[in-house]
Amino acid sequence: MKLYSYFRSSAAYRVRIALNLKDIKHELAIVDLLKSEQLGDDYLTTNKQGLLPAFETDQGVLAQSLAILEWLDETYPQCPLVTGTAWQKAQIRNLSFAIACDIHPLNNLRVLKYLSDELCVDTEGKNKWYQHWIEEGFNKIELMLNKSNDYCIGNQPTLADICLVPQVYNAIRFNIDMSLYPKIAAIYIHCNKLAAFSDAAPQNQPDAN
């Protein structure tokens, strides 16, 4: 199997964590977003959406991180990402979607490029946009977390942690004051003590610069 990835792609970061947690062997193929390689003919043949990640399997290609993660969980049941009672599973998905659907899409590279290239928003304005939507989301997520948990839900890493950690990485990169979100910050630190998370981090990828 092959994962098409870029070191700072949050969605690819999620999949890298899951593959590590489940100890699934795979090949990594680098697609440079800053060089717009995701829009090249070669990559569009693989992923018609022209987005990252893409995950190539014997059955075909999946091109949405949450779909990839659900497929991995059903196909490789070790270290389950969505686990527990029906209510716990719903809670895991609730947190995951709050991050992956409500925060991340507003701050991904194509949105930021549109702000600067088409709407002529300067760097300061673009950074304020980014910070606003992370803070807006984190304010709510902080309230949703149980301060006694090392992970988002329960006592093991789940899909929610896999979505949260890349978003916190982005928040730190854009100078968000994480002291305002002690529960989120504690989960981020705890998760990164696990090799599956730290090995998937952007700075530890072969294309990191």
Side-chain angles (χ1 to χ4, degrees):
M1 292 183 290
K2 182 186 292 186
L3 174 65
Y4 292 83
S5 176
Y6 176 67
F7 76 113
R8 279 186 179 155
S9 164
S10 299
Y13 189 174
R14 296 171 196 150
V15 180
R16 294 195 302 261
I17 295 169
L19 290 168
N20 290 345
L21 282 171
K22 291 177 175 292
D23 195 23
I24 298 171
K25 293 182 180 179
H26 61 283
E27 178 185 349
L28 200 65
I30 304 302
V31 180
D32 193 331
L33 294 181
L34 296 185
K35 295 179 180 177
S36 298
E37 290 179 354
Q38 76 278 14
L39 302 177
D41 290 341
D42 287 346
Y43 185 67
L44 288 173
T45 300
T46 301
N47 180 1
K48 293 177 176 58
Q49 285 188 283
L51 301 172
L52 285 177
F55 193 61
E56 194 171 82
T57 76
D58 290 340
Q59 299 177 65
V61 175
L62 289 170
Q64 287 288 331
S65 65
L66 293 181
I68 295 167
L69 295 169
E70 292 274 6
W71 180 83
L72 286 172
D73 218 24
E74 293 186 13
T75 309
Y76 300 91
Q78 69 271 25
C79 193
L81 308 180
V82 180
T83 187
T85 65
W87 179 248
Q88 288 169 326
K89 290 176 180 178
Q91 288 182 303
I92 290 168
R93 290 188 173 98
N94 192 60
L95 272 170
S96 302
F97 297 166
I99 298 160
C101 303
D102 291 342
I103 302 176
H104 175 246
L106 289 164
N107 288 331
N108 68 20
L109 183 61
R110 62 178 178 163
V111 171
L112 299 179
K113 289 184 72 172
Y114 185 81
L115 287 173
S116 56
D117 296 349
E118 301 297 329
L119 301 182
C120 301
V121 176
D122 62 17
T123 300
E124 182 181 358
K126 188 172 65 174
N127 288 345
K128 284 183 177 179
W129 167 279
Y130 200 109
Q131 291 163 347
H132 170 78
W133 292 115
I134 288 184
E135 290 168 350
E136 185 83 2
F138 277 12
N139 286 337
K140 308 299 189 301
I141 289 168
E142 183 73 10
L143 298 174
M144 296 162 67
L145 295 170
N146 186 331
K147 66 180 180 180
S148 65
N149 286 358
D150 290 330
Y151 301 103
C152 288
I153 305 290
N155 58 4
Q156 66 184 65
T158 67
L159 182 65
D161 303 285
I162 287 172
C163 289
L164 182 65
V165 165
Q167 198 62 64
V168 177
Y169 171 87
N170 290 340
I172 293 169
R173 183 169 164 243
F174 278 81
N175 300 314
I176 299 296
D177 182 2
M178 290 306 300
S179 70
L180 300 174
Y181 312 106
K183 288 181 280 187
I184 293 175
I187 290 169
Y188 177 77
I189 291 168
H190 188 79
C191 285
N192 277 309
K193 291 178 181 178
L194 302 178
F197 283 83
S198 60
D199 289 350
Q203 67 270 21
N204 294 325
Q205 301 313 298
D207 56 324
N209 53 34

mmCIF file of all heavy atoms in Angstrom, residues 69-96:
data_model
loop_
_atom_site.group_PDB
_atom_site.id
_atom_site.type_symbol
_atom_site.label_atom_id
_atom_site.label_comp_id
_atom_site.label_asym_id
_atom_site.label_seq_id
_atom_site.Cartn_x
_atom_site.Cartn_y
_atom_site.Cartn_z
ATOM 1 N N LEU A 69 -9.209 6.305 7.336
ATOM 2 C CA LEU A 69 -9.094 5.858 8.723
ATOM 3 C C LEU A 69 -10.183 4.848 9.091
ATOM 4 O O LEU A 69 -9.917 3.862 9.784
ATOM 5 C CB LEU A 69 -9.141 7.061 9.667
ATOM 6 C CG LEU A 69 -7.954 8.027 9.526
ATOM 7 C CD1 LEU A 69 -8.213 9.314 10.298
ATOM 8 C CD2 LEU A 69 -6.663 7.380 9.992
ATOM 9 N N GLU A 70 -11.400 5.080 8.618
ATOM 10 C CA GLU A 70 -12.486 4.121 8.864
ATOM 11 C C GLU A 70 -12.192 2.794 8.169
ATOM 12 O O GLU A 70 -12.410 1.712 8.739
ATOM 13 C CB GLU A 70 -13.821 4.696 8.374
ATOM 14 C CG GLU A 70 -14.327 5.882 9.187
ATOM 15 C CD GLU A 70 -15.128 5.481 10.415
ATOM 16 O OE1 GLU A 70 -15.204 4.282 10.725
ATOM 17 O OE2 GLU A 70 -15.689 6.384 11.059
ATOM 18 N N TRP A 71 -11.691 2.863 6.931
ATOM 19 C CA TRP A 71 -11.363 1.632 6.200
ATOM 20 C C TRP A 71 -10.241 0.868 6.903
ATOM 21 O O TRP A 71 -10.316 -0.362 7.051
ATOM 22 C CB TRP A 71 -10.959 1.968 4.760
ATOM 23 C CG TRP A 71 -10.606 0.755 3.951
ATOM 24 C CD1 TRP A 71 -11.465 -0.091 3.300
ATOM 25 C CD2 TRP A 71 -9.290 0.223 3.709
ATOM 26 N NE1 TRP A 71 -10.769 -1.101 2.671
ATOM 27 C CE2 TRP A 71 -9.437 -0.934 2.909
ATOM 28 C CE3 TRP A 71 -8.011 0.620 4.083
ATOM 29 C CZ2 TRP A 71 -8.346 -1.693 2.477
ATOM 30 C CZ3 TRP A 71 -6.909 -0.141 3.660
ATOM 31 C CH2 TRP A 71 -7.096 -1.278 2.869
ATOM 32 N N LEU A 72 -9.217 1.583 7.333
ATOM 33 C CA LEU A 72 -8.125 0.935 8.054
ATOM 34 C C LEU A 72 -8.647 0.250 9.313
ATOM 35 O O LEU A 72 -8.220 -0.862 9.644
ATOM 36 C CB LEU A 72 -7.053 1.960 8.427
ATOM 37 C CG LEU A 72 -6.160 2.477 7.305
ATOM 38 C CD1 LEU A 72 -5.279 3.619 7.803
ATOM 39 C CD2 LEU A 72 -5.283 1.362 6.726
ATOM 40 N N ASP A 73 -9.567 0.905 10.007
ATOM 41 C CA ASP A 73 -10.071 0.353 11.259
ATOM 42 C C ASP A 73 -10.884 -0.916 11.027
ATOM 43 O O ASP A 73 -10.837 -1.846 11.833
ATOM 44 C CB ASP A 73 -10.918 1.400 11.975
ATOM 45 C CG ASP A 73 -10.714 1.376 13.479
ATOM 46 O OD1 ASP A 73 -9.648 0.922 13.928
ATOM 47 O OD2 ASP A 73 -11.616 1.826 14.207
ATOM 48 N N GLU A 74 -11.624 -0.948 9.941
ATOM 49 C CA GLU A 74 -12.424 -2.132 9.641
ATOM 50 C C GLU A 74 -11.579 -3.258 9.060
ATOM 51 O O GLU A 74 -11.883 -4.440 9.265
ATOM 52 C CB GLU A 74 -13.550 -1.772 8.669
ATOM 53 C CG GLU A 74 -14.597 -0.848 9.283
ATOM 54 C CD GLU A 74 -15.781 -0.614 8.356
ATOM 55 O OE1 GLU A 74 -15.911 -1.351 7.360
ATOM 56 O OE2 GLU A 74 -16.572 0.300 8.638
ATOM 57 N N THR A 75 -10.523 -2.899 8.362
ATOM 58 C CA THR A 75 -9.689 -3.902 7.688
ATOM 59 C C THR A 75 -8.590 -4.436 8.600
ATOM 60 O O THR A 75 -8.211 -5.603 8.509
ATOM 61 C CB THR A 75 -9.062 -3.292 6.418
ATOM 62 O OG1 THR A 75 -10.097 -2.691 5.629
ATOM 63 C CG2 THR A 75 -8.356 -4.348 5.581
ATOM 64 N N TYR A 76 -8.088 -3.579 9.483
ATOM 65 C CA TYR A 76 -7.011 -3.945 10.408
ATOM 66 C C TYR A 76 -7.497 -3.639 11.829
ATOM 67 O O TYR A 76 -7.284 -2.541 12.345
ATOM 68 C CB TYR A 76 -5.736 -3.156 10.087
ATOM 69 C CG TYR A 76 -5.215 -3.410 8.695
ATOM 70 C CD1 TYR A 76 -5.621 -2.618 7.624
ATOM 71 C CD2 TYR A 76 -4.324 -4.455 8.448
ATOM 72 C CE1 TYR A 76 -5.153 -2.856 6.343
ATOM 73 C CE2 TYR A 76 -3.841 -4.696 7.160
ATOM 74 C CZ TYR A 76 -4.271 -3.895 6.113
ATOM 75 O OH TYR A 76 -3.809 -4.132 4.838
ATOM 76 N N PRO A 77 -8.169 -4.600 12.463
ATOM 77 C CA PRO A 77 -8.847 -4.325 13.747
ATOM 78 C C PRO A 77 -7.910 -4.119 14.933
ATOM 79 O O PRO A 77 -8.361 -3.659 15.990
ATOM 80 C CB PRO A 77 -9.718 -5.564 13.947
ATOM 81 C CG PRO A 77 -9.061 -6.641 13.138
ATOM 82 C CD PRO A 77 -8.449 -5.956 11.954
ATOM 83 N N GLN A 78 -6.604 -4.414 14.780
ATOM 84 C CA GLN A 78 -5.699 -4.190 15.903
ATOM 85 C C GLN A 78 -5.640 -2.696 16.238
ATOM 86 O O GLN A 78 -5.713 -1.846 15.376
ATOM 87 C CB GLN A 78 -4.292 -4.727 15.591
ATOM 88 C CG GLN A 78 -3.493 -3.972 14.518
ATOM 89 C CD GLN A 78 -3.727 -4.499 13.113
ATOM 90 O OE1 GLN A 78 -4.760 -5.091 12.833
ATOM 91 N NE2 GLN A 78 -2.748 -4.290 12.222
ATOM 92 N N CYS A 79 -5.547 -2.409 17.530
ATOM 93 C CA CYS A 79 -5.515 -1.032 18.017
ATOM 94 C C CYS A 79 -6.675 -0.224 17.418
ATOM 95 O O CYS A 79 -6.461 0.717 16.656
ATOM 96 C CB CYS A 79 -4.171 -0.380 17.671
ATOM 97 S SG CYS A 79 -3.874 1.180 18.535
ATOM 98 N N PRO A 80 -7.903 -0.562 17.756
ATOM 99 C CA PRO A 80 -9.062 0.088 17.140
ATOM 100 C C PRO A 80 -9.110 1.596 17.399
ATOM 101 O O PRO A 80 -8.799 2.054 18.501
ATOM 102 C CB PRO A 80 -10.256 -0.620 17.781
ATOM 103 C CG PRO A 80 -9.720 -1.192 19.052
ATOM 104 C CD PRO A 80 -8.295 -1.542 18.781
ATOM 105 N N LEU A 81 -9.516 2.333 16.381
ATOM 106 C CA LEU A 81 -9.567 3.794 16.463
ATOM 107 C C LEU A 81 -10.925 4.297 16.929
ATOM 108 O O LEU A 81 -11.031 5.392 17.472
ATOM 109 C CB LEU A 81 -9.246 4.408 15.096
ATOM 110 C CG LEU A 81 -7.956 3.930 14.426
ATOM 111 C CD1 LEU A 81 -7.778 4.618 13.082
ATOM 112 C CD2 LEU A 81 -6.750 4.175 15.323
ATOM 113 N N VAL A 82 -11.964 3.512 16.674
ATOM 114 C CA VAL A 82 -13.321 3.833 17.135
ATOM 115 C C VAL A 82 -13.784 2.628 17.927
ATOM 116 O O VAL A 82 -14.064 1.569 17.362
ATOM 117 C CB VAL A 82 -14.268 4.129 15.952
ATOM 118 C CG1 VAL A 82 -15.666 4.467 16.464
ATOM 119 C CG2 VAL A 82 -13.727 5.276 15.105
ATOM 120 N N THR A 83 -13.869 2.785 19.238
ATOM 121 C CA THR A 83 -14.075 1.622 20.095
ATOM 122 C C THR A 83 -14.983 1.972 21.273
ATOM 123 O O THR A 83 -15.253 3.141 21.528
ATOM 124 C CB THR A 83 -12.716 1.092 20.609
ATOM 125 O OG1 THR A 83 -12.909 -0.125 21.311
ATOM 126 C CG2 THR A 83 -12.022 2.097 21.513
ATOM 127 N N GLY A 84 -15.443 0.951 21.975
ATOM 128 C CA GLY A 84 -16.283 1.154 23.149
ATOM 129 C C GLY A 84 -17.747 0.894 22.840
ATOM 130 O O GLY A 84 -18.098 0.224 21.867
ATOM 131 N N THR A 85 -18.610 1.445 23.668
ATOM 132 C CA THR A 85 -20.042 1.315 23.462
ATOM 133 C C THR A 85 -20.474 2.176 22.274
ATOM 134 O O THR A 85 -19.688 2.987 21.761
ATOM 135 C CB THR A 85 -20.803 1.786 24.709
ATOM 136 O OG1 THR A 85 -20.565 3.194 24.877
ATOM 137 C CG2 THR A 85 -20.342 1.044 25.956
ATOM 138 N N ALA A 86 -21.711 1.997 21.867
ATOM 139 C CA ALA A 86 -22.233 2.826 20.774
ATOM 140 C C ALA A 86 -22.129 4.310 21.127
ATOM 141 O O ALA A 86 -21.820 5.153 20.267
ATOM 142 C CB ALA A 86 -23.684 2.445 20.470
ATOM 143 N N TRP A 87 -22.382 4.652 22.392
ATOM 144 C CA TRP A 87 -22.307 6.047 22.825
ATOM 145 C C TRP A 87 -20.866 6.559 22.786
ATOM 146 O O TRP A 87 -20.603 7.687 22.333
ATOM 147 C CB TRP A 87 -22.877 6.197 24.224
ATOM 148 C CG TRP A 87 -22.807 7.606 24.747
ATOM 149 C CD1 TRP A 87 -22.056 8.088 25.763
ATOM 150 C CD2 TRP A 87 -23.552 8.731 24.237
ATOM 151 N NE1 TRP A 87 -22.256 9.434 25.944
ATOM 152 C CE2 TRP A 87 -23.176 9.857 25.018
ATOM 153 C CE3 TRP A 87 -24.469 8.898 23.214
ATOM 154 C CZ2 TRP A 87 -23.705 11.130 24.798
ATOM 155 C CZ3 TRP A 87 -25.005 10.170 22.989
ATOM 156 C CH2 TRP A 87 -24.618 11.268 23.778
ATOM 157 N N GLN A 88 -19.913 5.736 23.250
ATOM 158 C CA GLN A 88 -18.506 6.134 23.206
ATOM 159 C C GLN A 88 -18.031 6.315 21.765
ATOM 160 O O GLN A 88 -17.294 7.262 21.462
ATOM 161 C CB GLN A 88 -17.646 5.096 23.929
ATOM 162 C CG GLN A 88 -17.814 5.133 25.441
ATOM 163 C CD GLN A 88 -17.164 3.950 26.129
ATOM 164 O OE1 GLN A 88 -17.132 2.835 25.598
ATOM 165 N NE2 GLN A 88 -16.643 4.177 27.326
ATOM 166 N N LYS A 89 -18.463 5.434 20.874
ATOM 167 C CA LYS A 89 -18.092 5.570 19.470
ATOM 168 C C LYS A 89 -18.645 6.871 18.891
ATOM 169 O O LYS A 89 -17.965 7.553 18.111
ATOM 170 C CB LYS A 89 -18.607 4.372 18.673
ATOM 171 C CG LYS A 89 -17.878 3.067 18.977
ATOM 172 C CD LYS A 89 -18.495 1.902 18.216
ATOM 173 C CE LYS A 89 -17.777 0.606 18.515
ATOM 174 N NZ LYS A 89 -18.396 -0.555 17.812
ATOM 175 N N ALA A 90 -19.881 7.203 19.276
ATOM 176 C CA ALA A 90 -20.476 8.454 18.801
ATOM 177 C C ALA A 90 -19.709 9.653 19.341
ATOM 178 O O ALA A 90 -19.511 10.651 18.619
ATOM 179 C CB ALA A 90 -21.941 8.529 19.217
ATOM 180 N N GLN A 91 -19.257 9.592 20.587
ATOM 181 C CA GLN A 91 -18.468 10.679 21.168
ATOM 182 C C GLN A 91 -17.140 10.852 20.431
ATOM 183 O O GLN A 91 -16.691 11.978 20.192
ATOM 184 C CB GLN A 91 -18.206 10.409 22.653
ATOM 185 C CG GLN A 91 -19.419 10.579 23.549
ATOM 186 C CD GLN A 91 -19.050 10.350 25.003
ATOM 187 O OE1 GLN A 91 -18.533 9.296 25.366
ATOM 188 N NE2 GLN A 91 -19.299 11.347 25.843
ATOM 189 N N ILE A 92 -16.504 9.722 20.113
ATOM 190 C CA ILE A 92 -15.235 9.770 19.376
ATOM 191 C C ILE A 92 -15.441 10.452 18.024
ATOM 192 O O ILE A 92 -14.681 11.342 17.631
ATOM 193 C CB ILE A 92 -14.667 8.347 19.184
ATOM 194 C CG1 ILE A 92 -14.185 7.789 20.520
ATOM 195 C CG2 ILE A 92 -13.524 8.344 18.162
ATOM 196 C CD1 ILE A 92 -13.879 6.300 20.499
ATOM 197 N N ARG A 93 -16.484 10.051 17.319
ATOM 198 C CA ARG A 93 -16.761 10.650 16.009
ATOM 199 C C ARG A 93 -17.161 12.122 16.163
ATOM 200 O O ARG A 93 -16.800 12.964 15.331
ATOM 201 C CB ARG A 93 -17.848 9.861 15.284
ATOM 202 C CG ARG A 93 -17.388 8.480 14.826
ATOM 203 C CD ARG A 93 -18.436 7.816 13.943
ATOM 204 N NE ARG A 93 -17.928 6.576 13.371
ATOM 205 C CZ ARG A 93 -18.175 5.368 13.865
ATOM 206 N NH1 ARG A 93 -18.929 5.236 14.955
ATOM 207 N NH2 ARG A 93 -17.680 4.299 13.282
ATOM 208 N N ASN A 94 -17.902 12.438 17.205
ATOM 209 C CA ASN A 94 -18.334 13.815 17.438
ATOM 210 C C ASN A 94 -17.131 14.756 17.546
ATOM 211 O O ASN A 94 -17.094 15.818 16.909
ATOM 212 C CB ASN A 94 -19.172 13.865 18.716
ATOM 213 C CG ASN A 94 -19.896 15.172 18.901
ATOM 214 O OD1 ASN A 94 -20.707 15.554 18.061
ATOM 215 N ND2 ASN A 94 -19.615 15.869 19.989
ATOM 216 N N LEU A 95 -16.151 14.370 18.351
ATOM 217 C CA LEU A 95 -14.939 15.175 18.500
ATOM 218 C C LEU A 95 -14.125 15.202 17.207
ATOM 219 O O LEU A 95 -13.616 16.254 16.802
ATOM 220 C CB LEU A 95 -14.077 14.624 19.635
ATOM 221 C CG LEU A 95 -14.362 15.140 21.042
ATOM 222 C CD1 LEU A 95 -13.603 14.327 22.072
ATOM 223 C CD2 LEU A 95 -13.976 16.613 21.159
ATOM 224 N N SER A 96 -14.012 14.056 16.574
ATOM 225 C CA SER A 96 -13.234 13.963 15.344
ATOM 226 C C SER A 96 -13.789 14.882 14.264
ATOM 227 O O SER A 96 -13.050 15.620 13.600
ATOM 228 C CB SER A 96 -13.213 12.516 14.830
ATOM 229 O OG SER A 96 -12.691 11.636 15.794
#
